[in-house]
Amino acid sequence: MVAKFGQIAKLICAAMLAGLLVGGILLPAVGPVGLAAKNASEQARAQRLDEPPLPQRSTILAADGSKIASFYYENRTDVTIDKIAPVMQKAVVSIEDARFYQHGALDLKGTIRALVRDQSQSAQKQGGSSLTQQYVKNVLYETAGARVAQAQDRLSKARTKSAKHQAQAALDAAKVVQGSTIAPNLTRKLQELRYALWVEEHYSKNDILDKYLNIAYFGHFAYGIEAASQRYFGVHAANLSTTQAATLAGMVNNANKYDPTKYPGVVLERRNIVLDRMVQLGHLGKPEATAAKAKPLGLRPKILPGGCDISRYAYFCLYVQNEILTNPVFGATQDARRSLLNTGGLTIQTSLDPKAQDASQRAVDNNSGVRSSRITMEAMVQPGTGKIQGIAVSRKYGLDKHEASIDYAVDIAHGGGGGVAAGSTFKVFTLAAALENGVRLNETINSPSSTSVTGYTDCSGNSLSWPSVSNAGESESGAYSLETGTWASVNTYYALLEKRVGLCKVARMAASFGMTRTDGSPLHQVASMTLGSNEIDIVHQAAAYAGFAASGKYCKPIAINGITDSTGKQLNVPGADCKQAVKADTANEISKILKGVLTRGTAAGNSLPDGRPAAGKTGTNENLTSVMFAGYTTNLAAVLWYGNPDAPFGDPVNAYGASLAPYWVQSMVDALSGTPITDFPDPGNVFGVSPPPPAKPGKKSTSKTGKPGGPGGGKGPKKGGPKH
């Protein structure tokens, strides 16, 4: 009996409070008290609700429109009211606010009911409020939540004790504000009503309903009706059935209590209550409701996690993610860029070609397998555009054993590691510098099997020397030309050619094709640079080789074709900044020479089987610790690397660069199937008469630089192996 009287007292109190709200805000008044109430009413009506854009899910798409990954703080995709099934609109109105289209900002009956629940410490948050009030409360909670997220991010990045203290204080304050948005008291209700008045004055009922359905939380990180429809039933909000709509409408009151994946029986009962309510209000026929109630929930749960770690194309996804997080084009600070990615509702159209990517992945897996301590990786770039077509690594992305948490194929700015040695694939820049500076095809340089070279000068005028450089075998010596020296990948020939051309000119040539160290700093100008002693990444190496494939037109590697925000606005994206790095004739002559590598040089026997013209270059690091192969057609450039990036000089692969050529062929054949076959432009006789082919084709070499990491190139060791 005492409890019953207590409930009655609470009800009377709630009614009095509601009367005060009505009297103080809505009703006309006279006298001093009435004038004060009228002024309060005018102030309330003038109080505008700040409605910041709701966090929207960003989606990364491949070039063919298929989905690569999503990023979000909240899994939400806004939809307009015409993209929400009418039965869903009727269902949520029926169960949450039956008189929604009849009352204004305040539903007196609903307010009394809500206040009673608040006073009784009910767990239900939205039981008696109007839909307009519920929308307001969600906006206030979202706004406060964004401040909490910002404060948490700030705390995670704080390094000093003082910064951590300040960040923690800001986080605590933000949480207090967020808590006040759901506090069960008259102050909050009054605040909601004041904002609700403004909302009702400025939006139609359908607009309010649309806003509410896009902000409501449905559990399991599904915010808004479109995300909820996809999460629980795998359909768009526009295609919800009666039973599906009734299920979702029943959930918004308390998404945790009415979680269909945990409490299907409770949710089924709740769904049927919604269906009965729709019948009572004339929104649904009784036979239709009876048929709907006879059906099971029919859940088709769909996990919608975000981020790259679960993406099929994780490494390419990471490249795109880091491009956005590190490039000032997307915001002045990393916090701003991260917020744009996670809340901006971006549609990010990328250059990824799934066919090329899958071909590349098969090739690298075939060479290394997914459980090897060594990895094979490949980067593919489209000539003439700089568009990255694929990034494949044989080791799966992740934190478990036999997985990798670093994208070894890319530079540090895009999530890479310490870089890899290019081996003799780097000789192409010395070759280009030689052609550009007057060296003729029929000129030869006497190249011993080993030698020391002095007289190098870097771009700062410093004198350098190369104490010891050698080829693969003592008998590998003689007079070599640009062609024969390249086909056989003769290290001593290139050491002497680099001196003749000038170390500075070689460095500038490499830089003109975008080559830097993996940390973005300029290449180290050392004598062994021509043999790839700088740590680089294979994406930029592939982009450089793509420049030769495009007759000397170099384009920066890019992964993003375009971005639109949630409103459809096009955002600025980094361009490829294409430029003519060398004369077209020079590039075309290089392609002609590198074609010979596949037919008569270190990678002989690895031409493409469909007859498609191709060019390439082998590369091997000193002590056979890693290998590289770089090749291209007019349509596609690709660079493969094989080794142990965690122990780059302590885990010999005992192979040469040509060992990767068959896997390069495999990936190129699969990636280019169905594309037109075209040849490189003929440079004519611009650079002099070509000498006859070498007497012993297929000779090979590795380097001897006198220090770890000195690379070289070639197909395979002579009997007895190279001497180091």
Side-chain angles (χ1 to χ4, degrees), residues 122 323 388 575 700:
S122 170
E323 176 67 27
I388 304 171
K700 44 274 172 183

Side-chain angles (χ1 to χ4, degrees), residues 101 104 185 217 250 255 281 337 348 353 406 413 473 477 511 560 577 632 637 681:
Y101 288 99
N185 55 48
Y217 180 55
L281 297 171
R337 297 188 287 267
I348 305 165
D353 178 357
I406 296 174
S477 62
I560 300 174
D577 298 333
Y632 57 89

Side-chain angles (χ1 to χ4, degrees), residues 54-59 67 70-72 74-80 83-84 210 213-216 221-230 236-237 304 343 345-347 566:
L54 295 176
Q56 302 290 309
R57 183 178 66 216
S58 293
T59 303
K67 182 178 174 181
S70 294
F71 291 88
Y72 51 82
E74 297 177 357
N75 179 25
R76 175 188 285 108
T77 301
D78 278 358
V79 289
T80 54
K83 297 295 177 61
I84 302 174
D210 181 48
L213 284 172
N214 278 304
I215 201 173
F221 303 101
Y223 292 80
I225 188 60
E226 176 67 15
S229 302
Q230 293 280 350
H236 292 294
L304 298 173
T343 69
L346 308 179
T347 299
S566 58

Side-chain angles (χ1 to χ4, degrees), residues 277-290:
R277 186 62 171 152
M278 293 175 72
V279 172
Q280 292 173 7
L281 297 171
H283 293 157
L284 186 67
K286 190 170 184 179
E288 186 180 0
T290 301

Side-chain angles (χ1 to χ4, degrees), residues 352-366:
L352 179 86
D353 178 357
K355 183 174 72 169
Q357 173 70 47
D358 292 342
S360 186
Q361 192 65 54
R362 285 192 296 271
V364 300
D365 288 346
N366 286 342

Side-chain angles (χ1 to χ4, degrees), residues 358-376:
D358 292 342
S360 186
Q361 192 65 54
R362 285 192 296 271
V364 300
D365 288 346
N366 286 342
N367 185 49
S368 291
V370 295
R371 301 179 66 81
S372 172
S373 61
R374 301 168 187 152
I375 66 172
T376 306

Side-chain angles (χ1 to χ4, degrees), residues 348-530:
I348 305 165
Q349 300 162 325
T350 74
S351 59
L352 179 86
D353 178 357
K355 183 174 72 169
Q357 173 70 47
D358 292 342
S360 186
Q361 192 65 54
R362 285 192 296 271
V364 300
D365 288 346
N366 286 342
N367 185 49
S368 291
V370 295
R371 301 179 66 81
S372 172
S373 61
R374 301 168 187 152
I375 66 172
T376 306
M377 54 191 182
E378 185 174 33
M380 291 182 163
V381 175
Q382 185 181 70
T385 67
K387 293 181 179 180
I388 304 171
Q389 306 283 269
I391 299 173
V393 180
S394 59
R395 196 181 297 174
K396 183 180 178 182
Y397 181 76
L399 297 175
D400 292 339
K401 187 178 181 181
H402 304 300
E403 294 182 340
S405 59
I406 296 174
D407 188 352
Y408 293 107
V410 307
D411 59 2
I412 290 176
H414 292 92
V420 299
S424 288
T425 65
F426 215 80
K427 289 174 180 174
V428 70
F429 304 113
T430 305
L431 177 59
L435 289 169
E436 287 275 280
N437 287 277
V439 179
R440 312 295 287 178
L441 292 174
N442 57 356
E443 294 183 41
T444 60
I445 298 176
N446 186 40
S447 307
S449 59
S450 63
T451 187
S452 62
V453 186
T454 59
Y456 295 100
T457 304
D458 65 18
C459 294
S460 298
N462 300 312
S463 295
L464 304 171
S465 63
W466 198 338
S468 178
V469 56
S470 65
N471 301 323
E474 294 298 332
S475 62
E476 188 172 314
S477 62
Y480 289 90
S481 68
L482 290 176
E483 289 181 310
T484 59
T486 302
W487 295 338
S489 197
V490 182
N491 293 329
T492 56
Y493 171 79
Y494 265 91
L496 295 166
L497 180 65
E498 181 184 51
K499 176 184 176 181
R500 174 174 174 177
V501 173
L503 178 62
C504 181
K505 290 179 180 178
V506 173
R508 287 174 175 170
M509 178 60 68
S512 72
F513 279 91
M515 297 308 301
T516 65
R517 293 176 62 79
T518 190
D519 61 3
S521 64
L523 296 168
H524 289 174
Q525 294 180 32
V526 294
S528 59
M529 181 171 62
T530 190

